[in-house]
Amino acid sequence: PYIMALLIFGLVLGTSITASSSHWLLAWMGLEINTLAIIPLMAQNHHPRAIEATTKYFLTQATAAATLLFASVTNAWLTGQWDISLMTHPIPTAMIILALSLKLGLAPLHTWLPEVLQGLDLTTGLILSTWQKLAPFILLIQIPCPNHELLIILGLMSTLTGGWGGLNQTQLRKILAYSSIAHLGWMLLIIQFAPTLTLLALMTYLVMTTATFLTLKNSKATNINTLATSWAKAPLLTAMTPLLLLSLGGLPPMTGFLPKWLILQELTKQQLPMTAVLAALTALLSLYFYLRLCYAMTLTMPPNNLSNTSLWRLPTMNTSLLLSISILTAILTLPLSPAITAILHL
């Protein structure tokens, strides 16, 4: 427990340093602390897959951090500025955006994310999909980007890859990885025009992803076939999960519709109708594999008779407070959208 507390403190510290810094060296240091703190968490169960995932993660994050450091030094050399919000030269800015994209796992630098997530258990996967996205995103929001085209291309490629890559998967962790890529692509589309909207999309993504990971952890499901037996273990949770998945897909009346709706509205305001149309069409691809998961959970019976009879319901010792709060938030907060938009001045 002491070591665990120390590692979690390291995660929080790294993200906090990055979030509060205005100097590139400090931001880089925070990202490094963050990476070094999650590596023992990833390798804690000594399985070959986990070790392989940890090694892949370490190599990609080290590459991204080295590129980031190189770009910030180049920027200081060209402009004499170490400040994050005073990036003026296009070349270091583009390099830094690509380095942060590699850290986040945005397309076309996404190939490590599904592989790494597949090798981890669901708890560490949850940390990797939620907490580890915060620090690079905070930096991306602060960078004044002179070329919007780069961000829009990265965003559209991510939504497309996230939708396409998840179509043929049977492993739930890989599906969640591709879903994460698609959601981050949506946030990247809008990051230059409305940073507050990006933060809103990030918050809803964090809540929905937390709820999904905790649901899967509760039913101990790692592939689509195990989902079919989950109704016998937790019927109420299984009834809620399709709604949660449709929320991830961005269907109204669920929470997930709110950021997508506002992002499409903002893109059309910025005279980018084609970008909005493409983003909306790529969301259909993601929706297909969420619907596939819903179908597997609610409308299919496993072939053996054992799981058709309800299992013995022993009183569970799982703590489900966070699970219930996150699921309800991920499904039911769309009616609050006027209040949310008023608070964020959208």
Side-chain angles (χ1 to χ4, degrees):
Y2 291 122
I3 296 176
M4 193 65 160
L6 192 67
L7 293 175
I8 289 172
F9 173 70
L11 277 178
V12 176
L13 178 73
T15 307
S16 312
I17 288 177
T18 307
S20 57
S21 63
S22 59
H23 193 287
W24 273 117
L25 273 182
L26 262 178
W28 170 79
M29 195 171 73
L31 290 170
E32 283 297 288
I33 293 172
N34 218 339
T35 307
L36 293 176
I38 201 175
I39 279 172
L41 288 175
M42 294 167 86
Q44 63 185 338
N45 52 345
H46 301 288
H47 191 275
R49 290 298 296 270
I51 304 298
E52 182 193 344
T54 312
T55 314
K56 283 178 180 170
Y57 181 75
F58 175 71
L59 290 173
T60 49
Q61 297 298 309
T63 311
T67 314
L68 184 81
L69 190 60
F70 174 66
S72 50
V73 169
T74 312
N75 181 59
W77 177 52
L78 289 169
T79 62
Q81 281 294 345
W82 278 103
D83 206 296
I84 295 176
S85 54
L86 293 175
M87 296 287 292
T88 48
H89 205 283
I91 295 170
T93 311
M95 280 166 65
I96 282 177
I97 287 172
L98 288 173
L100 291 172
S101 302
L102 178 58
K103 266 202 175 299
L104 287 166
L106 289 163
L109 309 162
H110 66 283
T111 40
W112 61 272
L113 184 60
E115 300 295 325
V116 167
L117 213 53
Q118 181 56 31
L120 304 176
D121 63 333
L122 288 165
T123 318
T124 323
L126 169 65
I127 296 174
L128 186 70
S129 303
T130 53
W131 187 261
Q132 292 298 89
K133 307 285 184 208
L134 291 178
F137 238 97
I138 290 164
L139 290 178
L140 269 177
I141 285 179
Q142 290 182 56
I143 299 171
C145 179
N147 45 354
H148 301 305
E149 292 81 13
L150 175 64
L151 287 169
I152 287 175
I153 288 167
L154 281 173
L156 279 175
M157 280 182 78
S158 298
T159 54
L160 191 62
T161 313
W164 233 329
L167 287 183
N168 215 13
Q169 300 293 342
T170 55
Q171 297 291 335
L172 295 178
R173 284 167 293 187
K174 282 196 173 176
I175 287 180
L176 284 171
Y178 281 111
S179 140
S180 164
I181 295 166
H183 278 280
L184 292 172
W186 275 88
M187 293 171 219
L188 212 67
L189 282 176
I190 204 69
I191 198 164
Q192 277 308 299
F193 308 117
T196 46
L197 192 48
T198 304
L199 284 176
L200 172 67
L202 185 60
M203 295 310 291
T204 48
Y205 160 75
L206 293 182
V207 171
M208 293 187 297
T209 309
T210 308
T212 315
F213 268 100
L214 290 175
T215 309
L216 297 180
K217 188 168 181 285
N218 199 27
S219 57
K220 296 183 174 56
T222 50
N223 59 15
I224 291 189
N225 295 341
T226 4
L227 278 182
T229 61
S230 60
W231 67 271
K233 297 175 191 167
L236 186 63
L237 191 59
T238 312
M240 299 285 274
T241 312
L243 294 175
L244 173 62
L245 290 167
L246 292 178
S247 178
L248 266 171
L251 282 190
M254 267 61 94
T255 311
F257 175 59
L258 172 63
K260 286 200 162 95
W261 167 37
L262 291 173
I263 285 171
L264 290 176
Q265 185 183 332
E266 185 63 35
L267 283 173
T268 43
K269 273 185 201 166
Q270 299 289 343
Q271 266 77 51
L272 293 167
M274 277 313 291
T275 311
V277 168
L278 284 170
L281 288 175
T282 53
L284 288 175
L285 291 169
S286 304
L287 190 62
Y288 172 77
F289 60 77
Y290 295 127
L291 283 172
R292 191 159 147 242
L293 292 183
C294 295
Y295 175 74
M297 283 194 84
T298 51
L299 299 172
T300 54
M301 283 283 183
N304 52 342
N305 286 325
L306 250 184
S307 51
N308 292 350
T309 55
S310 187
L311 302 175
W312 283 103
R313 299 231 183 93
L314 297 170
T316 57
M317 302 311 285
N318 291 348
T319 49
S320 55
L321 180 66
L322 184 60
L323 173 61
S324 50
I325 291 173
S326 55
I327 281 196
L328 289 174
T329 317
I331 296 174
L332 296 175
T333 44
L334 190 68
L336 295 178
S337 49
I340 295 169
T341 47
I343 291 167
L344 294 176
H345 304 297
L346 294 174

